[in-house]
Amino acid sequence: DENLDQSGIRLAFVKDEPVGFAFAFVLPQGDAGWAMLRCAVLPPHRRRGIGTALMREVARFCTTQTRVADVRTISLAAWQPYVEAEPFARQLGFEHERYFWMLERPRGAGIEPTWPLNVEFRVFDGSDRDLEAWNHAYNRSFAEHWRFVRSTIDDCRDLANAPGFRPDGIALAWLDERCVGFCRCALLEARGEIEVLGTDPEVRGLGVGRALLRWGVRWIEDNSALPVTLLVDGANENALRLYRSEGFMPVRERRVWGLSENGLRRLVAT
C-alpha cells in the first residue's frame, strides 16, 4: 500500500522475542494529512507501557518523517468487543470519533436491479475511459464524507492491477454519457463484500444506489457461496436506511477514536 511507509513500522522486543508492533497509514486530506494507526501487543506483555511507547514512536514518525508533510490528526480503530481498546485510547488522549458497522444479509434473497429511467448500466471494461469515469464518480460521491481522500486515475489503475481484482466486479451507472455511480465488489477469504458503493449527489433519490446495491448482491451470490457483507459509516444515515431496507443487518462493530491536533502535539512531546 502506497500509504504505508515501511520506514515507519515500529517493533517491540522482549529478550529478542517480538511482542508488539505499530504502524500508520498516512493519507493526504486537503492541505494537511491524516493517519490511521494500527497497534498490537501480545497479551502476556500488555499493561507494561509497550503499546503506549509504540504509539508515541509512530505518532512522532507521522509528524516528522512521512511524505505527507503536515499530519495534523490521527485515529485509532478496533473491532468490538475489545474491552482493552477504550481505556488504552483514552489514556493516550483519544476521543470517540465514529462507529463503523459491518452489515450482512441472508443469501438467496437478492432482487434483480431495476435501473431508473435513462440510466444505463455497464460492467467496467478496464479502458482509460472507464478508469476516468470510475475515478470521477468516486470523487463526486464521497467529496463530503468523513475523512475523504481524493482519488486519482493512477489510484484506480493501481487497484485494477492489484492481485485478485475482478473487473467484472465493478458496475458503472451512466446518465447522458456521464458516470453517476458505481459499485465495486470483492471476494475475500471468508466473505463477499460490497467494498465501495457511491452515487453522484445530483442523482440521489432516483434509485441509482439501490439498483447498484442489488447488482452487487447478485454478483457476489452468482460468483461465490460466501456471506454478502459491506462496511458502512455509522453516521451515514441515508446509506444505513438503504442497506436496512434491502435486508442488511449489523453483525460487527468497529469503533474509531481520534486525536486532535493539540492532542497529537502533546503525545509526540511526551
Side-chain angles (χ1 to χ4, degrees), residues 117-122 125 127 129-130 132-134 136-137 172-181 200 202-203:
L117 185 65
N118 298 326
V119 173
E120 180 185 355
F121 148 79
R122 303 177 198 164
D125 65 9
S127 67
R129 178 175 184 266
D130 274 12
E132 184 175 351
W134 172 22
H136 175 77
L172 302 177
W174 298 81
L175 177 63
D176 299 329
E177 293 305 309
R178 293 178 297 111
C179 185
V180 294
D200 191 299
E202 73 173 77
V203 299

Side-chain angles (χ1 to χ4, degrees), residues 41-253:
V41 177
L42 293 176
H45 299 279
R46 293 173 185 167
R47 298 185 180 87
R48 298 181 183 181
I50 295 173
T52 299
L54 286 166
M55 288 288 287
R56 285 175 177 153
E57 284 296 317
V58 174
R60 290 190 183 102
F61 172 81
C62 289
T63 57
T64 60
Q65 301 176 48
T66 65
R67 292 186 296 271
V68 178
D70 192 12
V71 173
R72 297 180 185 173
T73 58
I74 60 176
S75 296
L76 180 67
W79 288 106
Q80 302 300 305
Y82 185 11
V83 295
E84 294 170 306
E86 174 76 20
F88 178 66
R90 295 283 185 184
Q91 172 192 329
L92 295 172
F94 286 78
E95 298 290 339
H96 171 69
E97 215 171 26
R98 220 73 167 184
Y99 286 108
F100 281 79
W101 302 96
M102 182 182 291
L103 309 182
E104 183 177 332
R105 61 161 289 152
R107 283 186 59 91
I111 302 172
E112 285 291 338
T114 301
W115 300 98
L117 185 65
N118 298 326
V119 173
E120 180 185 355
F121 148 79
R122 303 177 198 164
V123 173
F124 175 72
D125 65 9
S127 67
D128 286 345
R129 178 175 184 266
D130 274 12
L131 283 168
E132 184 175 351
W134 172 22
N135 181 66
H136 175 77
Y138 173 85
N139 286 323
R140 287 277 295 169
S141 299
F142 295 101
E144 302 302 321
H145 280 224
W146 180 76
R147 298 300 188 198
F148 168 68
V149 176
R150 180 166 292 278
S151 172
T152 68
I153 294 176
D154 286 340
D155 293 330
C156 293
R157 185 174 286 108
D158 289 344
L159 279 171
N161 291 329
F165 176 82
R166 292 276 299 265
D168 64 325
I170 298 183
L172 302 177
W174 298 81
L175 177 63
D176 299 329
E177 293 305 309
R178 293 178 297 111
C179 185
V180 294
F182 72 100
C183 178
R184 176 163 64 90
C185 303
L187 302 180
L188 308 179
E189 183 177 351
R191 57 192 177 87
E193 182 175 81
I194 297 173
E195 288 193 315
V196 191
L197 189 157
T199 56
D200 191 299
E202 73 173 77
V203 299
R204 288 176 190 163
L206 301 181
V208 176
R210 188 177 299 277
L212 286 166
L213 178 63
R214 289 178 176 178
W215 177 89
V217 169
R218 181 54 56 91
W219 185 88
I220 291 170
E221 292 191 342
D222 286 349
N223 287 276
S224 76
L226 297 166
V228 180
T229 67
L230 56 82
L231 192 67
V232 61
D233 181 350
N236 191 342
E237 289 294 337
N238 289 335
L240 281 167
R241 280 195 294 271
L242 169 62
Y243 299 148
R244 287 171 176 149
S245 72
E246 291 291 314
F248 284 88
M249 297 297 292
V251 292
R252 293 192 73 186
E253 171 192 305

